[in-house]
Amino acid sequence: MDQNAKKQAVAKAAIEYVENGSIVGVGTGSTVNFFIEELGKIKNNIEGAVSSSDASTKLLEALGIEVFALNDVSNISVYIDGADEVAEHKHMIKGGGAALTREKIVAGASTTFVCIVDDSKRVPMLGKFPLPVEVIPMARSFVARELVKLGGDPEYRQGVVTDNGNVILDVHNLEILNPRELEQSINNIPGVVTNGIFALRGADIVLSATDTGVETYK
Ligand code: 5RP
């Protein structure tokens, strides 16, 4: 099975977690794009969505799914999103698509986070995928120097401005032995909006598409 077929399979499996009449939290990325297509097929069963990016909002609206502002919503039962890496304890690296901050917010506001990946994303330890860090533009060089002190090699993601008007540093060569601790340490650097480690609020359920079917980790 090729990677796109796996993404499609896991997107279909995620529909099981969508409750009738609910507002669904929707992540960002190519795997989620397949999920949005599936959501379109059952759009009459849901009230709408809260989106984690302008890109996902456009796709949702194009399918006639109402997109609510998070401030207008009191309860999101399930948040569905992809990841760049998933390790033990359902800790993840996210932000390959530069949407990490809104993703972390919507994930935090949701009761259940269902992470949808193909099996290429499953890793024994986080850190091979360069860790995205969203940074206020004026703090870019300072934050980069602080990240070097933490043992990483930050690289400015040229030409990318996030939906929040900020920039991304991708940090290479980090050994992420303690994801919760590193998530906190990086977030404590002044000028960092957030970083792509999702460990303090990891996934509740990981659905992983393999050649033989979709595996569920709870
Ligand atoms: C975007 C993300 C995505 O979830 C992550 O990059 C995975 O994307 P894809 O499904 O395209 O591999 O965190 O900021």
Side-chain angles (χ1 to χ4, degrees):
M1 207 191 269
D2 73 15
Q3 202 182 15
N4 273 340
K6 287 180 183 174
K7 289 179 183 186
Q8 194 162 27
V10 79
K12 270 184 199 288
I15 288 291
E16 296 281 307
Y17 293 85
V18 173
E19 289 174 15
N20 276 348
S22 67
I23 294 177
V24 185
V26 176
T28 299
S30 57
T31 314
V32 164
N33 291 348
F34 284 110
F35 172 72
I36 292 172
E37 269 178 39
E38 295 302 319
L39 205 55
K41 296 177 191 166
I42 59 148
K43 67 179 177 191
N44 294 329
N45 300 347
I46 60 168
E47 198 180 334
V50 169
S51 169
S52 64
S53 64
D54 294 345
S56 290
T57 298
K58 257 194 203 150
L59 294 174
L60 289 159
E61 288 180 340
L63 290 173
I65 297 170
E66 186 170 358
V67 177
F68 293 89
L70 180 60
N71 284 326
D72 295 334
V73 170
S74 57
N75 178 47
I76 302 172
S77 57
V78 69
Y79 176 64
I80 311 280
D81 199 358
D84 300 300
E85 284 185 346
V86 186
E88 260 197 313
H89 308 299
K90 301 180 218 70
H91 293 161
M92 296 158 283
I93 284 184
K94 292 183 45 53
L100 62 161
T101 298
R102 293 189 188 187
E103 290 173 341
K104 207 174 263 195
I105 294 167
V106 183
S110 302
T111 308
T112 303
F113 181 163
V114 178
C115 174
I116 53 172
V117 290
D118 61 81
D119 51 4
S120 69
K121 308 286 186 65
R122 300 198 47 235
V123 296
M125 185 173 78
L126 299 177
K128 197 164 176 204
F129 189 92
L131 177 67
V133 181
E134 179 164 353
V135 177
I136 302 282
M138 70 161 285
R140 191 186 81 217
S141 298
F142 163 67
V143 170
R145 288 192 294 275
E146 294 300 301
L147 290 167
V148 169
K149 287 182 196 164
L150 291 175
D153 295 320
E155 182 188 4
Y156 175 34
R157 201 184 294 181
Q158 297 279 350
V160 171
V161 176
T162 70
D163 288 349
N164 313 305
N166 298 314
V167 297
I168 298 283
L169 294 173
D170 291 306
V171 192
H172 298 255
N173 302 321
L174 280 174
E175 256 210 339
I176 308 183
L177 297 170
N178 188 334
R180 291 169 65 92
E181 199 175 274
L182 189 63
E183 182 177 357
Q184 266 168 330
S185 306
I186 295 177
N187 282 348
N188 282 344
I189 301 170
V192 168
V193 180
T194 198
N195 73 85
I197 301 176
F198 281 57
L200 297 168
R201 199 280 184 258
D204 300 297
I205 297 167
V206 174
L207 302 179
S208 169
T210 71
D211 282 326
T212 52
V214 175
E215 294 172 353
T216 304
Y217 299 88
K218 289 189 178 172

